[in-house]
């Protein structure tokens, strides 16, 4: 019996040694401490060569560490017509080079509503995203694009938004950030077994039971105010009910990856792994 979820960090673990540093060092270090997933943090820009990608891919295969990429922050599916080509290029570069580096999933922030109605914004966002998917297919860049659920109510990226984008086309699935979803309403809701169960029921209904086995989750503690997310916290400092969340995920037969974004990344990733084993009763082979 292996674990239903593999655990890792978003960005290189803080303890990654200087040599070999970079993504290659981060992969080896992750494995050495018992983390089998890593999200490459290409959040400012995509500046990698094909040779670097090949080295990252062979290292991840050698160590059995699953890779994803966090695409640059400056992507907005609701950008103006002038700005959209730049946003699009950032997403396409992350997907292309991510694929070359052996990443299976490309995580991105979908953008902003700019105070427009979310349903109207989706009418712009979905065709643009579909254009990206069609081009990736044509190029053979076989990755899953994952719009992340965002922590502020002004941002494109509610749970409903992420599900709608995913239901509209192939090769797109949500990246569920449960900390963001807890922070987004701004009032401490979205933190109970019942609330998570309702959400997972919707997920299964809209995207199919198979999608529940292949979740891509971001997780941390979080500080929030009336407008949503303020900043990420360690699990111990936060009010997120990890046990209730994990119980819901276990009861729905979920699996996939859980990537930690807490300030004490690898420490909390290992805390999450322990908590999952406790709640699920699963053991590592």
């Amino acid at each position: 019996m292996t674990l239903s979820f593999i655990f890792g960090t978003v960005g290189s673990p803080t303890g990654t040694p200087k040599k070999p540093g970079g993504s290659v060092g981060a992969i080896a270090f992750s494995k050495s401490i018992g983390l089998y997933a890593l999200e490459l943090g290409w959040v400012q820009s995509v500046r990698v060569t094909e040779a670097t990608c090949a080295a990252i891919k062979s290292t991840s295969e050698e160590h059995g560490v699953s890779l994803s990429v966090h695409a640059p922050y400056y992507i907005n599916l609701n950008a103006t017509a002038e700005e959209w080509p730049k946003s699009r290029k950032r997403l396409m570069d992350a997907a292309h080079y991510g694929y070359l580096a052996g990443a299976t999933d490309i995580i991105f922030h979908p953008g902003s509503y700019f105070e427009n109605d979310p349903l109207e914004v989706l009418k712009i966002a979905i065709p643009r995203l579909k254009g990206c998917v069609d081009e990736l297919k044509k190029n053979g860049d076989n990755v899953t694009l994952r719009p992340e659920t965002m922590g502020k109510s002004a941002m494109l990226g509610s749970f409903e938004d992420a599900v709608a984008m995913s239901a509209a086309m192939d090769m797109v699935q949500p990246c569920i950030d449960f900390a963001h979803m807890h922070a987004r309403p701004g009032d401490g809701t979205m933190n109970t077994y019942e609330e998570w169960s309702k959400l997972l029921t919707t997920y299964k209904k809209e995207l199919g039971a198979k999608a529940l086995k292949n979740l891509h989750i971001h997780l941390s503690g979080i500080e929030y105010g009336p407008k949503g997310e303020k900043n990420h916290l360690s699990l111990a400092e936060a009010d997120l009910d990890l046990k209730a969340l994990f119980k819901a995920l276990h009861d729905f037969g979920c699996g996939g990856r859980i990537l930690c974004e807490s300030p004490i990344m690898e420490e909390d990733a290992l805390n999450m792994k322990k908590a999952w084993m406790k709640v699920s009763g699963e053991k590592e082979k």
Side-chain angles (χ1 to χ4, degrees), residues 9-185:
T9 58
V10 177
S12 299
T14 46
T16 302
K18 293 274 179 284
K19 282 194 173 136
S23 302
V24 165
I27 291 165
F29 179 71
S30 294
K31 186 195 177 179
S32 75
I33 58 173
L35 297 174
Y36 292 92
L38 175 66
E39 192 154 303
L40 305 170
W42 295 351
V43 295
Q44 299 306 326
S45 61
V46 180
R47 289 191 299 258
V48 283
T49 60
E50 292 192 1
T52 303
C53 290
I56 293 171
K57 185 174 181 176
S58 68
T59 309
S60 76
E61 286 169 352
E62 180 195 335
H63 290 291
V65 172
S66 301
L67 298 181
S68 49
V69 164
H70 198 308
Y73 291 139
Y74 313 103
I75 290 169
N76 191 349
L77 296 177
N78 187 33
T80 61
E82 297 79 49
E83 288 293 320
W84 167 239
K86 289 186 214 152
S87 264
R88 187 181 194 276
K89 186 172 182 337
R90 290 180 187 115
L91 181 57
M92 296 302 284
D93 283 354
H96 175 65
Y97 287 99
Y99 177 68
L100 293 181
T104 50
D105 298 81
I106 312 298
I107 316 314
F108 69 99
H109 294 176
S112 170
Y113 295 132
F114 296 133
E115 300 186 351
N116 295 315
D117 176 77
L119 291 173
E120 292 304 311
V121 173
L122 281 175
K123 286 180 190 166
I124 297 165
I126 286 174
R128 282 177 167 178
L129 190 56
K130 186 154 190 337
C132 294
V133 166
D134 291 345
E135 191 179 318
L136 290 172
K137 269 189 194 160
K138 203 169 77 200
N139 296 345
D141 291 328
N142 187 18
V143 289
T144 300
L145 298 180
R146 290 190 180 261
E148 185 178 336
T149 57
M150 301 304 292
K152 293 191 176 91
S153 52
M155 302 304 285
L156 172 61
S158 66
F159 175 70
E160 293 74 16
D161 293 339
V163 167
M165 290 182 226
S166 306
M169 66 197 91
D170 296 340
M171 287 172 65
V172 175
Q173 293 279 308
C175 167
I176 309 188
D177 189 319
F178 281 104
H180 283 167
M181 289 180 49
H182 170 44
R184 190 175 173 104

